[in-house]
Each structure stands twice: as structure tokens, then as C-alpha cells.
Amino acid sequence: ADNRFIFFVSDRDGRKSMYRMNPDGSGQTLVVSGGDNRGYRQADNGRTAFISNRRGIWELFMDGQPVTRADWFAWQPGGARVVIELGKMALFTVSGPGQPVQKVVEGAETRNASWAPDGSRIVFASNREGNSKIFTVRPDGGGLQALTPADRWCQVPAWSFDGRWIAFVMGEGPGWGLYRMAPDGSNWLRLADNPHPGRGLAWSPDSRQLAFVSRDLDIYVVNASGSGLRQLTTDPAADYEPAWSR
């Protein structure tokens, strides 16, 4: 993978619009404007999707067409379908316009879903057991497993494309820390200070770098080893929800 673009949302033009930039922060260019748009992401096979309220409700658009109500989504590797978050209380999967929406989990605050690279499991954050914890589950809703301890507040998980790591944000007193761990919940490593607890993480396609959003709503990247931290956006407007092209 050449890690050629990072897509992100910004309100620098007065509305939530999608932009893209090179991995070094140069070439920041408007991609989608009009209405409130967020979460522009491109699948392995070139399919695109984003969330928009251009029709008065928050909806998922896939391949330029409205699909269903949604607040968050993530592409399954290969681009066959997405997992969506609805009302922060349930996860579903759907493959495209006119296709059935299938339930994964519901019944508690559930958010920030991300796929394992082989499509066999979905990682997400939920307070179904008290504090917000990181869980994984099969796409059919079976095999629910907690990865983080009950005495910590963890959210915004993102599975690396090589399958080795799950990045996440964890509360630390008045602030937050950016971490990564193995998919079984072991081998934690702290990567950076002061990430935003709800504005998105994104692995590069080669899984060597992680894009994240700071508390002051700028986009940074850091290596999976915790080295090489650098700031990419400096616009006074809010920049968030980064996503790498593949």
C-alpha cells in the first residue's frame, strides 16, 4: 500500500465537509461539500461511503446512494459490506442500497465499530457492563468477548489492517491516552498523549502508522511503535474523523 491519502472532516468552509490530504499533511483538498457530511471512507475495492444529513436525517450513503439511517460505519475488508451504528445503541451490517440490514448487537450504548482484517470479528466500545469497555463479536452477534478491564474507561477502537493490533483511547484522570493492544487484550503500549476520546482513529493500510485527533481537534499521526509523532493539520477550524485511502 502506498498510504496515498488521508480523508478527514472539517468545518473550515462553514459546514461539515470532507477533505483529503497527503500523509505528510500537504495537499489539503475539498472532496465532498453540501449539507453536513462526515466519515468519508474508501474500501479496498474502491467503493466509497459516508454519512450525511443532506436529506434532513443522518444517513449512510454507499456508492453515492442513500442506504439507511446511521450514525457511524466501517467497511468490511474487501468492501462487501459495512457495519453501522444506529442511535449509539445497536450495530448492524448492510451490503448496499436496497439490501437487508442485519442486527449484530443491541441493548446498550454501542459505538465506534471496526472490522478484523479477515472479516471474522467486529471490535466496538460499549458500556453494557458498566464503564465503557472494548469488546469483539462475530458479525452474526455471537462470541461476545471483553478485552479491557472493568475499572478503565476505553473507547474508539480501531483494528489494524495486518490484524496485529487494536488501537483505542483510554481515560487517565482528567485526560486521555492513546494505546494499542493485541486482539486478545494483551501487550498494551501507550502511543501518545491527549487524543480526543470520540473523534476517530485510523490505521494506515500498511499498519505502520495511526492517524488520530487531538483534544484541540487537529489531526496527528504516530508510528505503531509509539515513535514519530507529528501534527498534520493546523487550521483553526475543527478537523477530525481521519480515514486512509487504500
Side-chain angles (χ1 to χ4, degrees):
D2 61 5
N3 300 347
R4 54 184 178 171
F5 295 120
I6 297 175
F7 294 94
F8 64 99
V9 177
S10 180
D11 60 8
R12 60 184 64 183
D13 66 353
R15 295 189 292 182
K16 293 183 178 68
S17 298
M18 265 86 75
Y19 289 77
R20 76 179 188 191
M21 61 182 166
N22 297 317
D24 63 0
S26 65
Q28 297 182 22
T29 305
L30 179 66
V31 176
V32 180
S33 186
D36 281 339
N37 304 294
R38 54 190 174 89
Y40 187 94
R41 296 180 180 90
Q42 186 177 47
D44 304 357
N45 59 1
R47 296 181 71 187
T48 59
F50 60 92
I51 302 290
S52 177
N53 72 348
R54 62 178 60 179
R55 304 199 309 172
I57 58 173
W58 288 109
E59 295 177 288
L60 171 71
F61 282 70
M62 297 175 71
D63 307 316
Q65 301 298 316
V67 177
T68 184
R69 291 180 58 197
D71 301 299
W72 176 277
F73 77 96
W75 280 109
Q76 183 183 35
R81 58 181 171 170
V82 298
V83 60
I84 62 171
E85 171 193 308
L86 182 58
K88 298 183 174 62
M89 296 298 289
L91 298 179
F92 299 84
T93 60
V94 65
S95 59
Q99 300 302 306
V101 177
Q102 299 177 317
K103 183 180 70 176
V104 181
V105 293
E106 65 178 351
E109 183 174 295
T110 301
R111 57 174 64 193
N112 305 137
S114 173
W115 292 86
D118 63 2
S120 65
R121 297 188 73 80
I122 296 168
V123 64
F124 64 98
S126 177
N127 65 357
R128 62 187 52 242
E129 296 181 358
N131 285 345
S132 180
K133 296 165 63 175
I134 307 300
F135 294 83
T136 63
V137 67
R138 294 195 305 267
D140 65 4
L144 183 69
Q145 178 184 5
L147 301 184
T148 56
D151 62 347
R152 301 295 181 94
W153 191 277
C154 303
Q155 54 196 56
V156 202
W159 214 314
S160 66
F161 292 108
D162 64 5
R164 294 183 62 198
W165 307 115
I166 294 172
F168 63 99
V169 173
M170 185 174 74
E172 298 177 330
W176 299 85
L178 176 64
Y179 288 80
R180 57 107 166 124
M181 64 181 167
D184 64 359
S186 66
N187 199 14
W188 287 33
L189 178 67
R190 196 172 193 277
L191 302 178
D193 298 325
N194 208 32
H196 195 286
R199 292 295 190 171
L201 307 176
W203 287 97
S204 63
D206 62 12
S207 300
R208 295 179 179 177
Q209 298 178 85
L210 183 68
F212 69 97
V213 181
S214 66
R215 292 296 295 273
D216 56 2
L217 296 177
D218 279 311
I219 296 173
Y220 288 70
V221 295
V222 64
N223 294 332
S225 64
S227 64
L229 178 69
R230 62 188 186 279
Q231 183 174 353
L232 301 186
T233 65
T234 58
D235 194 280
D239 298 326
Y240 53 96
E241 292 186 4
W244 297 74
S245 64
R246 298 199 66 196

